[in-house]
Amino acid sequence: MNDIHIGKAPPAWIVLPFYATGAVFFLVLTILLFLSAEDLTRHYFSPHLLAVVHTAALGWGTMIIFGAAYELLPVLCERDLYSKRLAILSYILLAAGIAHLIPAFWWFKAGGIMMTGGSLVLMATFCYALNVLFTAQSTNNHLIHQRFLISSALWLLVTVTLGLCLAINLRYPFMSRNHLDIMKLHAHAGLAGWFLQLITGVSIKLVPMFLVSKSRKTKWVQAAWILQNTGLILFLFDNYLNSNDAGRDMLYAFICGLGIIAWLYFLNDVLKNRLRKRIDLPMKHTLVSFIFLIAALMTIPVAHNSISAKWALIYGLLLLLGWITSLILGQTFKTLPFIVWNEHYKKLTGMSSVPLPSELYNLRMLKCQFYLYLFALTSLVAGMIVHNSLLIKLASILWILIAGLYVASIVKIMFHRPNTTHANGAR
């Protein structure tokens, strides 16, 4: 991580609340998942599953990503974060919005609470998008990863705007199109726009950094940005203006899939040319996430051709609890320890013997979390495929244990007590 401009990073007190709150929402997510075991064998449009999905996408995924993005934007754009106040405001608005949305969906209270929650999340998104746009635009070196960051922020605005319109439509119907059709657009703008492009942009910068590697295949990354956006834009406009057509949808999925393949080809080249041959556990967690992304893509044709709603549920689960969650569970332990280490030990480097960032967490706990995660996800998917509520419930219990381990690790890192040994051996 020698290339990180740590002097430009925002203060830890701005970033840490996102990680702490995201960890809490992850625990809430797993508890809701346990309580919704029966719903996972039914149609995806149900109050409990809407609550689970929005807890995963907003409370867990987006909350952590906002915090990590504010830490990494000065690295990726090589300048100070545009506004610390906007970062703080986005945290307050996002947390408040999610706190409104989860109970509104769980008990399906379409009206003031749901619309208020959606409005707060939209305002938080505006704060985040402004920070990204002004931080990236103020640099003279407009690189491809910055383009991904900007486009992902704009897609998040589209996603949240559609979500708020859907919330209003439930109380005051005004949409001419079927509610479920617009919900499909809302979901894919979030998954293929916000999450995919944000993760693509960050990974093409950080994975080479963490693995000490380089790749000359940058044209593949350029192609990835074009194909991912082209496929998504065509999908959204066609489905909004015309009736659903499975053949055209598969074409747009294929175009977007080519963009994903181009991105993964670049990362594979980075992996092959790495100087750091040993891959640590957080990076293994990260690399495993791409397997779940590929598995999710493979379910698309099955979901399109099946009359059963379970394959659409499995598709979403592999993306949210597979790809995105595995990525967060891995990258948390690459970014958060460094943030805390930087706060305590940056000025002591060279003056004292200080611990490594990787020494701020318990490796045994992380190993346990990793293998338990693989077993829990596999069991949950298996339970959904065979339509077994008991297996789903047992897998959900394992998810609660995973969240407990994650929260414990977060607490250990955040409340780390500085430990230094001076050159003369005195403590």
Side-chain angles (χ1 to χ4, degrees), residues 242-256:
N242 305 301
S243 58
N244 291 339
D245 183 282
R248 292 200 302 270
D249 283 354
M250 289 302 299
L251 173 62
Y252 306 143
F254 178 73
I255 294 171
C256 195

Side-chain angles (χ1 to χ4, degrees), residues 29-42 46-52 106 389 392-393 396:
L29 165 63
T30 59
I31 294 171
L32 293 181
L33 190 67
F34 173 77
L35 297 175
S36 305
E38 292 289 338
D39 296 87
L40 288 172
T41 61
R42 300 168 187 158
S46 72
H48 289 177
L49 290 185
L50 286 173
V52 168
W106 186 263
S389 297
I392 292 172
K393 191 153 272 189
S396 301

Side-chain angles (χ1 to χ4, degrees), residues 144-161:
I144 183 61
H145 60 266
Q146 295 172 7
R147 199 185 306 167
F148 271 107
L149 291 174
I150 293 170
S151 62
S152 70
L154 296 176
W155 280 120
L156 179 60
L157 277 173
V158 172
T159 305
V160 177
T161 301

